[in-house]
Amino acid sequence: MLEHFLGGLAVVMQPLNLLLLTSAVFIGFIGGALPGISGVILVVILLPVTYGMEPTTAFMVLTAIYGATVFSGLITAILYRAPGTPEAVMTAFDGYPMTQRGEAGKALGIGVLSSAIGGLVGTVALIIFTPMLAKMALKFSSPEYFALAVLGLTVVASLGGRLIFGLIGAALGLFIATIGIDPLTGTSRFTFGNLNLAEGVGLIPVIVGLFAVSEVMKRTLDHENHQPLKKVKVKIFDLPILRQIGMTLSRSSIIGVVIGILPGIGASTAAMVSYSETVRWSKHPEKFGKGAPEGIAAPESANNAAAMGALVPLFALGIPGSGTTAVILGAFIMHGLQPGPMFMLTSSDLIYAVFAGLFIVNFMILLFSKPFIVLFTKLLNVPYSALGPIIIMCCIVGTYSVRNSMFDVWLMMGFGVLGYLLEKINFPLVSIILGLVLGPIAESELRRALSMSQGDFSIFLERPISATLLSIAFLLLAVTLITPLIKRARRKTAAT
Amino acid sequence: MSIKHSVKYASFAFALIGVATGVSASDADNFPSKPIQFLVAAGAGGGTDNFARVVRPMFEEAMGGARITVVNLPAASGALAHQRTATSAADGHTLDFASTTLVTSLAAGQNPVGLDQLTPVARMQSDVMALFVNPERFPDFESFVKYAEENPGKVTVGGTHTASPDHVTFLSLRDASGLDMNFIPYDSTGNATANVLGGNIDATTTSLSPLLSYIEAGQMMPILVFSDERLDDYPDVPTTVENDWDLTDGNDRAIFVHADTPAPIMKRLEEAFKEVYDSEDYQSYAERVNLDYREGWMGSDEYRQRLENNYELYSRLLQND
């Protein structure tokens, strides 16, 4: 295996390949940082360009773009609360408050380091375990996915703030997720005969609206002033911080890899679940959402690890683990290659070159992200009266380009207003996103599992993985709900 | 990046202005008189999208250097693309690239744009549908049928979403064979395949080309192909027709236009696509993506007849489901 890897590294190190790889990383940086323009769109746009290349080079370039976009979504998420990619939405929750406190440099440094570490863990897992992990992923079917989604949803109870708001938010997210043609029966739900709603409400208009647009509204309407950021110093290696987030990084990277490997759920879900688990295991859950370093480390290490993990089922089984990998699968077919069980044997040179390329990409993120970020921080000196409209324009173009739909743009504006109003009452927006991302998984997998078992609920308990996940979810929920009651009771006895 | 998008935006706006100003439609000699728009009724990167983007330069050449823009409109199983084609001018400048999903979603009542508003120019691809199983579980179709008869209601067959080509294939098989089986809809072919590989469900009904690598690896096997004749590569696999079931539908990819498009323009378009289809470039692409198992080409009239028949069959099957 090491031999193969070194062989791949030699291919990557050829001057032309290295040059293309570097350009791919920069293209990925730019695309990822612009809100609405995600890895999927970039890969689709650049696909025709790769037809003229050798397959090995072509896939090195495409996967490098993919890796770089997942990383660079964090820049605008931290600086402007305008997540550049859906994967980076969780990063905004703690990254942006840090910027508001004048700690943008620190936040970005944590983000870069976490991304690179998560990416490296993911790549190593990809290189060593691809055949083995792919088999594991096949054990995951509907009952297991449902249990995983339930585990993720129970964290609403641990989020800070008022529990009732959390529940309303999650329910709202779940509701939005039901809009559209029901994939299992084909019935239209809440579409009011409007074809634009038949496909459902996309994640991008909601995220861009709730976070980016509402923030521009807030700063414009409320004349909110921020500490002027004269100089942002990005420090990537900071030992005390590293000690603080070390545990979070290791846990989140592993969560990221595992979730990434599962076909059908991607890096956004991984970021969400690892953020939830970090909140749950933290001694100070109340600090999250207000600028906790762990709140950046968790989603960023997890989404980059998951992005790499999503390539495992693609290479080993020909099954894409996320939207972007589905497009890469299409690209393989266009190049006359057929990823599948035999792919590792028939095209191992290509695969190891791609692996080596991804390995290098993660180091490039560490090296090149700093000058790139500095460019973006310079924008902070632009007066907000000019910057705000530019952000809105990027949001409109980005959202429009996802489905070529003006309807989505109006939807985004609507969610912008909603986000602005909800924040006035300190409503936790994270719970809406939680419901929206995990809702469709929970709903359709529950129904799929029940049709597998002909309506018998015991399928969730008979299968070991789903039974374990569900009991963990139940236990954790019980603990989070009961602990405050015990504390209160103790305080009462202490008082009397 | 954003520049690329504004270019796309601008050319799109251009095309819209063209539509709005209205060009004399009957003039086939001057056709195309403005940029042609390919509306892809599917998301970027999928099979239909790849098809449209591969055909584009070849079609450009066949039309003597027409300008073409490609716009993806995946929303509502492509219904938006159909709608936009049906509301554009009937002058052949708006082409709708769609798969069998057009007629299946129409039969399911999800797509309001019917064959009275759109008509096919030609079909260019027809991927063979088949029933796939894990060969360790069921060595052949007979053993599958035996198991299904002994365990009525227990057999689970996966495929893509409800009213997809996979689903109607399943329904027509169930209808013809009388076997008591359940369909489980998944988000993608990949997910359905993974569940067959992992032993979570029994079989999947889908098209052949995406599963070839699993067949080569011996992890999946077609046990029944929806075809008139046995396929050269799988001489031992029985066909539906052998079982006296007249089910030979594939997952088709075709080009549609406004139903009122004048006949001379229709003819010109059909000829141009035929030229593309016969070209060496196109044939080598079809071979590369494994779509050469059967003749893909079907002319406008013949394909329209077939779609009308299928629409009737699918409506009945989906209503009884």
Side-chain angles (χ1 to χ4, degrees):
Chain A
M1 187 182 325
L2 191 64
E3 238 171 89
H4 280 122
F5 180 68
L6 292 176
L9 216 50
V11 176
V12 178
M13 288 303 173
Q14 287 167 11
L16 180 67
N17 285 347
L18 206 56
L19 181 73
L20 284 171
L21 201 66
T22 317
S23 337
V25 168
F26 273 99
I27 293 173
F29 276 177
I30 299 170
L34 296 174
I37 294 171
S38 58
V40 185
I41 298 170
L42 265 190
V43 171
V44 168
I45 290 173
L46 290 167
L47 202 55
V49 182
T50 66
Y51 288 156
M53 299 178 187
E54 287 273 303
T56 310
T57 311
F59 290 101
M60 240 154 50
V61 166
L62 291 177
T63 50
I65 291 174
Y66 168 58
T69 47
V70 174
F71 151 74
S72 74
L74 71 87
I75 303 173
T76 34
I78 289 175
L79 289 176
Y80 311 110
R81 209 177 80 154
T85 53
E87 289 91 344
V89 63
M90 301 309 287
T91 313
F93 285 114
D94 285 281
Y96 189 65
M98 283 181 81
T99 300
Q100 285 175 310
R101 279 206 308 253
E103 296 177 337
K106 191 172 152 196
L108 288 166
I110 296 170
V112 172
L113 184 67
S114 311
S115 292
I117 289 180
L120 283 174
V121 171
T123 314
V124 170
L126 186 64
I127 294 168
I128 301 178
F129 299 119
T130 295
M132 206 173 85
L133 288 178
K135 285 216 183 70
M136 184 198 92
L138 288 181
K139 291 270 171 277
F140 258 72
S141 186
S142 304
E144 288 77 21
Y145 283 120
F146 171 70
L148 190 70
V150 169
L151 182 65
L153 282 169
T154 55
V155 86
V156 170
S158 323
L159 291 171
R162 294 171 63 182
L163 182 60
I164 185 74
F165 278 175
L167 289 175
I168 292 173
L172 183 66
L174 290 171
F175 166 70
I176 296 170
T178 60
I179 296 173
I181 292 177
D182 172 9
L184 276 88
T185 61
T187 318
S188 293
R189 302 191 295 193
F190 306 110
T191 60
F192 304 101
N194 187 332
L195 276 185
N196 290 297
L197 282 172
E199 189 80 358
V201 175
L203 198 55
I204 299 244
V206 180
I207 290 175
V208 173
L210 279 184
F211 297 96
V213 176
S214 73
E215 180 62 21
V216 176
M217 283 176 68
K218 190 160 79 191
R219 292 195 47 181
T220 317
L221 294 175
D222 304 353
H223 302 288
E224 214 175 84
N225 279 316
H226 289 257
Q227 295 172 353
L229 290 160
K230 278 285 165 268
K231 198 148 175 78
V232 177
K233 228 175 137 33
V234 181
K235 203 171 169 197
I236 296 175
F237 297 101
D238 186 342
L239 217 55
I241 284 282
L242 192 58
R243 215 168 285 145
Q244 190 187 345
I245 61 174
M247 183 60 205
T248 307
L249 279 180
S250 3
R251 182 180 48 229
S252 303
S253 301
I254 293 170
I255 292 180
V257 170
V258 172
I259 292 188
I261 290 168
L262 303 176
I265 47 180
S268 315
T269 314
M272 193 154 292
V273 172
S274 71
Y275 183 87
S276 312
E277 290 314 310
T278 305
V279 174
R280 182 142 46 200
W281 294 104
S282 167
K283 290 198 182 74
H284 306 285
E286 71 282 355
K287 286 194 179 157
F288 284 83
K290 300 188 186 86
E294 293 93 335
I296 299 173
E300 277 310 317
S301 51
N303 65 21
N304 285 276
M308 300 301 121
L311 293 170
V312 169
L314 178 69
F315 285 125
L317 300 166
I319 293 168
S322 67
T324 321
T325 46
V327 176
I328 294 178
L329 173 68
F332 272 119
I333 294 168
M334 294 298 291
H335 274 271
L337 298 163
Q338 183 67 257
M342 303 301 279
F343 196 45
M344 286 294 279
L345 298 174
T346 54
S347 309
S348 70
D349 289 352
L350 181 144
I351 291 178
Y352 279 96
V354 169
F355 287 175
L358 286 170
F359 199 71
I360 302 288
V361 164
N362 283 300
F363 284 104
M364 286 185 175
I365 289 176
L366 276 182
L367 276 178
F368 298 149
S369 59
K370 217 162 151 178
F372 185 76
I373 288 174
V374 170
L375 279 179
F376 266 84
T377 54
K378 288 261 187 289
L379 284 175
L380 282 174
N381 298 331
V382 176
Y384 205 76
S385 53
L387 192 60
I390 293 175
I391 294 178
I392 295 283
M393 202 189 73
C394 285
C395 294
I396 291 177
V397 173
T399 306
Y400 177 81
S401 68
V402 178
R403 294 203 287 212
N404 288 321
S405 159
M406 204 53 210
F407 182 83
D408 282 357
V409 174
W410 293 116
L411 211 58
M412 172 196 86
M413 293 296 188
F415 275 101
V417 175
L418 182 71
Y420 172 74
L421 295 175
L422 286 178
E423 288 219 303
K424 291 235 162 207
I425 54 169
N426 287 324
F427 194 94
L429 295 180
V430 57
S431 57
I432 300 180
I433 300 295
L434 208 64
L436 186 63
V437 172
L438 297 177
I441 301 176
E443 191 213 344
S444 53
E445 299 298 356
L446 170 70
R447 291 163 61 194
R448 233 168 252 151
L450 288 176
S451 52
M452 275 167 73
S453 69
Q454 279 88 48
D456 188 353
F457 276 91
S458 61
I459 188 169
F460 295 106
L461 302 175
E462 279 162 6
R463 298 174 64 108
I465 302 176
S466 88
T468 316
L469 286 173
L470 282 175
S471 16
I472 295 174
F474 181 75
L475 274 177
L476 291 176
L477 188 65
V479 169
T480 23
L481 290 180
I482 292 171
T483 321
L485 293 180
I486 297 176
K487 270 190 191 154
R488 203 181 299 162
R490 268 203 204 132
R491 224 173 292 143
K492 248 182 206 161
T493 37
T496 47
Chain B
M1 204 28 254
S2 64
I3 292 174
K4 267 198 178 170
H5 270 279
S6 21
V7 170
K8 198 163 142 197
Y9 206 93
S11 54
F12 178 55
F14 238 88
L16 278 184
I17 293 165
V19 171
T21 47
V23 185
S24 152
S26 60
D27 202 353
D29 299 333
N30 285 338
F31 183 80
S33 53
K34 60 183 188 215
I36 291 179
Q37 206 177 113
F38 283 9
L39 300 181
V40 179
T48 308
D49 182 53
N50 286 342
F51 164 58
R53 286 174 198 273
V54 165
V55 164
R56 174 192 172 169
M58 304 177 195
F59 183 72
E60 244 166 24
E61 207 186 306
M63 293 303 287
R67 265 205 312 135
I68 297 173
T69 49
V70 180
V71 180
N72 291 85
L73 292 170
S77 306
L80 265 186
H82 312 324
Q83 199 177 46
R84 199 176 284 180
T85 310
T87 52
S88 69
D91 58 4
H93 287 88
T94 309
L95 303 178
D96 182 6
F97 280 67
S99 69
T100 299
T101 309
L102 181 137
V103 69
T104 57
S105 63
L106 186 66
Q110 294 170 356
N111 164 19
V113 185
L115 290 168
D116 51 333
Q117 290 169 278
L118 293 181
T119 199
V121 176
R123 181 187 82 180
M124 289 180 70
Q125 296 180 354
S126 181
D127 203 350
V128 180
M129 301 297 279
L131 178 70
F132 295 89
V133 292
N134 182 340
E136 282 170 22
R137 232 180 127 203
F138 301 108
D140 50 28
F141 186 56
E142 271 169 36
S143 59
F144 178 83
V145 170
K146 190 158 170 274
Y147 176 81
E149 279 168 351
E150 283 165 7
N151 300 284
K154 288 266 182 230
V155 176
T156 45
V157 181
T160 47
H161 61 92
T162 295
S164 65
D166 290 6
H167 185 215
V168 292
T169 304
F170 165 82
L171 289 177
S172 56
L173 175 66
R174 187 172 70 176
D175 182 63
S177 68
L179 295 171
D180 186 3
M181 309 182 281
N182 291 309
F183 185 78
I184 302 182
Y186 289 89
D187 299 334
S188 67
T189 308
N191 283 346
T193 313
N195 276 288
V196 178
L197 289 176
N200 299 307
I201 56 173
D202 299 310
T204 173
T205 45
T206 190
S207 48
L208 189 61
S209 67
L211 298 193
L212 285 176
S213 65
Y214 305 98
I215 301 173
E216 275 164 33
Q219 296 182 346
M220 289 273 244
M221 194 61 205
I223 50 169
L224 179 75
V225 291
F226 288 62
S227 165
D228 305 329
E229 293 163 29
R230 293 197 177 195
L231 304 181
D232 291 343
D233 288 4
Y234 307 100
D236 302 330
V237 180
T239 68
T240 41
V241 174
E242 282 170 41
N243 284 288
D244 281 332
W245 303 327
D246 182 23
L247 308 169
T248 56
D249 299 327
N251 192 4
D252 299 346
R253 299 215 168 88
I255 302 108
F256 292 82
V257 288
H258 195 296
D260 300 336
T261 307
I265 290 181
M266 279 294 286
K267 194 158 162 278
R268 176 96 173 79
L269 284 171
E270 192 179 336
E271 280 166 6
F273 279 113
K274 179 72 175 144
E275 194 183 320
V276 169
Y277 182 81
D278 289 334
S279 70
E280 213 169 289
D281 274 357
Y282 181 83
Q283 286 302 326
S284 80
Y285 149 77
E287 198 186 318
R288 202 166 68 234
V289 296
N290 299 305
L291 285 167
D292 51 352
Y293 275 98
R294 71 174 164 213
E295 174 71 20
W297 181 263
M298 201 179 262
S300 175
D301 295 337
E302 197 187 346
Y303 191 49
R304 188 175 168 89
Q305 192 56 48
R306 190 179 174 94
L307 285 174
E308 280 170 1
N309 293 344
N310 283 351
Y311 171 68
E312 250 169 64
L313 171 71
Y314 296 164
S315 304
R316 178 175 63 81
L317 290 173
L318 284 163
Q319 242 153 41
N320 295 343
D321 184 37

